[in-house]
């Protein structure tokens, strides 16, 4: 089964590039099948990682950034692939 972990954070106004750089620099204890980093208006950053694992498997995730960098706690979601 393929599981996708989604990590989304919103930077303090004007610090979106810094949050993006921080997220891209984060290393995970294991390498996922795939990792993609995206950004959106409002200084938001999204990181999606894909894993060959069960939905409830213990998987490495990105940590919380320093509170001075973000406007709120990180949002996290976990999805499993249902195929095409």
């Amino acid at each position: 089964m393929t599981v996708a972990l989604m990590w989304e954070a919103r930077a303090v106004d004007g610090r979106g590039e810094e949050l993006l750089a921080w997220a891209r620099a984060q290393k995970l204890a294991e390498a996922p099948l795939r990792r993609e980093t995206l950004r959106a208006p409002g200084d938001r950053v999204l990181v999606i990682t894909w894993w060959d694992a069960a939905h409830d498997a213990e998987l490495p995730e990105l940590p919380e950034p320093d509170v001075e960098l973000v406007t709120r706690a990180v949002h996290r979601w976990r999805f499993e692939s249902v195929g095409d």
Side-chain angles (χ1 to χ4, degrees):
M1 168 183 305
T2 302
V3 175
L5 303 183
M6 298 177 69
W7 177 102
E8 187 264 343
R10 183 171 183 187
V12 171
D13 285 341
R15 296 186 70 184
E17 288 298 322
E18 187 178 346
L19 178 61
L20 178 61
W22 179 91
R24 294 176 94 181
Q26 298 307 301
K27 303 297 182 210
L28 297 170
E30 299 174 42
L33 297 171
R34 179 177 167 199
R35 177 176 172 165
E36 191 167 347
T37 305
L38 304 101
R39 64 176 161 195
D43 290 324
R44 291 180 293 143
V45 174
L46 173 67
V47 178
I48 307 170
T49 56
W50 287 263
W51 305 86
D52 182 17
H55 182 79
D56 59 351
E58 190 168 318
L59 298 167
E61 296 192 47
L62 272 67
E64 294 277 335
D66 289 337
V67 295
E68 297 84 19
L69 185 57
V70 292
T71 61
R72 57 167 167 72
V74 168
H75 290 179
R76 300 171 191 272
W77 302 275
R78 186 176 284 222
F79 295 89
E80 63 187 52
S81 176
V82 295
D84 293 330

